């Protein structure tokens, strides 16, 4: 799911990349079983008390494609931490992990005397980023923008058979190799956004290896809301809460409905609101004046909101090393088994009609203030409609999460709506959901309350 706002991501990584990227690139070798190890360990420039190394993994664990990947890992040097290893998994899919080591170390510092913090660039990110230049230009770091069918097909064609090896199941296998290489019999996982899906997949595959689980900005374990209905319907609620706090003179949900009617740009408006739920979840930044602009549209003047859309619809120049749009496509299209057409093995010719039927079945109230057609136009469905048949993610051996777990959600989050966290909590036997008032996405980094809740749980 959603990553941190792209401008923040670029600024953060620019400050760290010079030191963190100074290690050898990926290589290729015949696929065969090897004992997982961490190669080329050395101090991470720019980070004190942290070692960087590489975990080498096969691209295809079945052996039909011999390539191997070298995944960058950053590890705190307190190897004897009494509570063992804590791995924080970044979001996307498409976002690297290592550049976020320092921000997470600051957020979780209250727990890191007891834990050894480790972060990894998951396969297809960072130095192993999936390169799809046309998709990268068209959608950048957005979940919601739709790429052209030609760009999607070109990306899949450039990957060929390799597109089958970027599901979250492969990432889970990589993580267990990392556990072995670290010498950990068990560990704790902390997933953020898409990282929550990977963490849950790991827990449902290797439950005996997991001590505790933190899920921040939750994607359900079955990843089953490809029409993004929860986010569409939550937008009116989030706007109304913000407006009530600011004593607005109009109903912002109705203003949004009118803005959608007048601009005819529902996907761009959804994308913009999701970005705001990350960077300004209370909608108080006077630079943008979102509620005022929506109110003008509601009164018949769409000019101010159209101007704002122009700012947020500009080409996204995020480089693939900071966010791989190609990996985002390859992983999401294979991971979501409940697309309107079924899983990623479905033939292309059945998909358009399946989307039309799924959207037609939605009541208008399910997506209001957005028109229900937006559910089929946003990028998760729109892009995967054109992704050629590929191997779907396999089911997990286990189906219920039983280890102690903390679920964190911001009540203003439109990227991973609170409803997903509530639904996931109901499927777990030892979980606690904490909703952080006034917070948006990625609450451990962006909310003092979220970080405090995580630290408290990790030390309990």
């Amino acid at each position: 799911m959603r990553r941190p706002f792209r401008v923040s991501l670029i600024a953060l990584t620019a400050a760290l990349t010079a030191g963190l990227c100074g290690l050898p690139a990926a290589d290729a070798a015949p696929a065969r079983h090897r004992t997982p190890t961490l190669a080329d360990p050395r101090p991470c420039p720019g980070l004190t008390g942290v070692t960087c190394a590489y975990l080498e993994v096969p691209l295809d664990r079945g052996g039909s494609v011999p390539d191997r990947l070298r995944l960058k890992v950053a590890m705190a040097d307190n190897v004897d931490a009494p509570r063992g290893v804590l791995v924080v998994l970044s979001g996307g899919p498409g976002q690297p992990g290592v550049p976020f080591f320092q921000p997470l170390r600051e957020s979780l510092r209250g727990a890191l005397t007891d834990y050894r913090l480790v972060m990894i660039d998951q396969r297809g990110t960072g130095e192993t980023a999936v390169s799809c230049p046309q998709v990268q230009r068209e959608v950048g770091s957005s979940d919601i923008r739709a790429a052209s069918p030609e760009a999607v097909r070109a990306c899949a064609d450039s990957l060929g058979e390799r597109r089958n090896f970027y599901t979250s199941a492969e990432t889970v296998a990589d993580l267990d190799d990392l556990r072995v290489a670290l010498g950990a019999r068990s560990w704790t996982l902390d997933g953020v956004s898409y990282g929550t899906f990977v963490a849950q997949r790991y827990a449902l595959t290797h439950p005996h290896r997991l001590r505790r689980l933190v899920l921040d900005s939750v994607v359900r374990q079955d990843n089953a809301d490809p029409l993004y209905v929860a986010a569409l319907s939550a937008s009116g609620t989030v706007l109304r809460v913000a407006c009530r706090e600011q004593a607005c003179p109009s109903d912002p949900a109705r203003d949004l409905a009118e803005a959608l009617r007048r601009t005819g740009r529902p996907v761009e408006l959804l994308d913009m609101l999701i970005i705001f739920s990350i960077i300004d979840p209370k909608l108080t930044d006077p630079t943008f004046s979102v509620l005022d602009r929506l109110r003008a549209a509601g009164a018949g003047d769409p000019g101010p909101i159209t101007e704002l859309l122009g700012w947020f619809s500009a080409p996204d120049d995020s480089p693939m090393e900071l966010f791989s749009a190609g990996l985002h496509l390859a992983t999401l299209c294979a991971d979501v088994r409940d697309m309107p057409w079924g899983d990623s093995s479905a033939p292309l010719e059945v998909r358009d009609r399946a989307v039309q039927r799924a959207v037609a079945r939605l009541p208008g109230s399910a997506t209001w203030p957005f028109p229900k057609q937006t559910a089929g136009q946003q990028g998760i469905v729109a892009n995967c409609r054109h992704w050629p048949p590929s191997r779907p993610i396999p089911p997990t051996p286990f189906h219920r999460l039983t280890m102690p777990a903390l679920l964190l959600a911001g009540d203003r989050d439109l990227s991973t709506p609170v409803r997903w966290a509530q639904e996931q909590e109901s499927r777990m036997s030892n979980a606690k959901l904490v909703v952080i008032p006034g917070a948006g996405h990625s609450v451990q980094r962006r909310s003092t309350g979220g970080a405090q809740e995580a630290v408290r749980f990790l030390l309990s």
Side-chain angles (χ1 to χ4, degrees):
M1 287 288 102
R2 195 75 184 187
R3 284 77 46 202
F5 185 46
R6 54 183 172 265
V7 174
S8 300
L9 174 60
I10 293 172
L12 165 66
T13 309
L16 298 176
T17 301
L20 295 179
C21 292
L23 295 175
D27 69 353
R32 60 182 184 273
H33 176 74
R34 302 179 183 181
T35 300
T37 59
L38 289 163
D40 302 320
R42 64 190 70 184
C44 292
L47 294 175
T48 58
V50 184
T51 295
C52 283
Y54 279 99
L55 176 73
E56 187 177 280
V57 299
L59 174 69
D60 169 21
R61 291 176 183 274
S64 62
V65 177
D67 294 3
R68 298 185 70 85
L69 304 171
R70 301 185 73 200
L71 310 180
K72 191 190 307 180
V73 179
M75 307 161 284
D77 291 341
N78 57 331
V79 294
D80 296 323
R83 293 178 184 259
V85 173
L86 169 65
V87 176
V88 179
L89 299 170
S90 55
Q95 186 184 68
V98 171
F100 295 94
F101 189 98
Q102 183 60 30
L104 267 299
R105 181 161 68 169
E106 292 169 0
S107 297
L108 299 174
R109 61 184 178 274
L112 297 184
T113 300
D114 285 32
Y115 286 91
R116 183 189 190 194
L117 179 63
V118 175
M119 295 192 73
I120 183 172
D121 289 352
Q122 298 169 41
R123 65 169 55 204
T125 74
E127 291 181 7
T128 67
V130 171
S131 177
C132 290
Q134 191 174 350
V135 168
Q136 195 79 24
R137 285 192 299 271
E138 292 182 8
V139 305
S141 59
S142 173
D143 292 321
I144 302 305
R145 294 186 191 182
S148 64
E150 296 77 16
V152 174
R153 288 193 287 266
C155 180
D157 289 346
S158 69
L159 284 170
E161 187 182 356
R162 293 170 61 92
R163 70 175 179 269
N164 292 312
F165 309 119
Y166 289 102
T167 75
S168 296
E170 275 77 35
T171 296
V172 165
D174 296 342
L175 286 175
D176 207 52
D177 280 358
L178 175 61
R179 179 191 60 77
V180 173
L182 290 168
R185 293 180 59 84
S186 60
W187 56 7
T188 296
L189 296 184
D190 182 337
V192 182
S193 193
Y194 162 73
T196 68
F197 181 72
V198 175
Q200 290 171 92
R201 291 281 310 191
Y202 184 93
L204 293 167
T205 305
H206 305 288
H208 57 297
R209 298 299 185 187
L210 201 58
R211 297 180 182 180
R212 288 175 175 265
L213 190 60
V214 178
L215 304 176
D216 173 354
S217 306
V218 181
V219 178
R220 285 170 31 179
Q221 70 183 59
D222 54 2
N223 210 356
D225 187 9
L227 294 174
Y228 227 4
V229 171
L232 292 166
S233 62
S235 61
T237 301
V238 168
L239 288 172
R240 283 171 168 164
V241 171
C243 206
R244 186 163 58 247
E245 292 170 347
Q246 299 174 46
C248 294
S250 65
D251 179 354
R254 294 189 181 279
D255 292 340
L256 173 59
E258 183 64 13
L260 289 161
R261 188 183 72 81
R262 289 181 175 275
T263 64
R265 298 166 69 175
V267 173
E268 291 171 78
L269 267 165
L270 176 62
D271 191 36
M272 185 187 74
L273 289 177
I274 289 173
I275 291 172
F276 275 111
S277 81
I278 299 170
I279 64 170
D280 182 26
K282 293 187 176 182
L283 301 178
T284 56
D285 191 328
T287 304
F288 302 112
S289 303
V290 176
L291 296 173
D292 290 343
R293 292 170 188 267
L294 286 174
R295 185 160 56 253
D301 179 10
I305 198 66
T306 300
E307 178 187 41
L308 191 59
L309 280 175
W311 298 352
F312 283 87
S313 301
D316 184 343
D317 58 357
S318 299
M320 65 181 181
E321 294 82 6
L322 303 189
F323 182 81
S324 171
L327 186 276
H328 187 81
L329 264 178
T331 301
L332 271 188
C333 293
D335 275 5
V336 181
R337 298 180 62 93
D338 293 306
M339 289 289 191
W341 54 83
D343 65 29
S344 59
S345 65
L348 288 175
E349 57 267 23
V350 308
R351 299 186 186 184
D352 285 353
R353 181 59 181 155
V355 173
Q356 294 168 11
R357 289 195 300 265
V359 171
R361 287 194 295 267
L362 290 172
S365 59
T367 62
W368 191 88
F370 283 89
K372 67 181 184 179
Q373 289 77 16
T374 314
Q377 295 166 350
Q378 49 80 27
I380 296 172
V381 167
N383 291 329
C384 291
R385 284 167 68 176
H386 305 291
W387 188 256
S390 60
R391 187 181 66 180
I393 192 171
T396 54
F398 299 90
H399 305 288
R400 189 170 181 82
L401 296 164
T402 59
M403 65 288 300
L406 172 68
L407 282 63
L408 295 169
D411 68 346
R412 316 297 170 91
D413 189 0
L414 292 177
S415 177
T416 55
V418 173
R419 188 199 305 177
W420 289 359
Q422 293 167 336
E423 291 169 349
Q424 183 57 46
E425 183 196 24
S426 71
R427 304 173 67 169
M428 303 170 72
S429 60
N430 194 10
K432 175 186 178 183
L433 169 62
V434 177
V435 179
I436 308 297
H441 195 62
S442 185
V443 299
Q444 290 174 98
R445 281 191 53 211
R446 294 185 169 87
S447 160
T448 301
Q452 290 173 341
E453 290 287 348
V455 169
R456 189 177 300 119
F457 171 76
L458 290 169
L459 297 178
S460 64

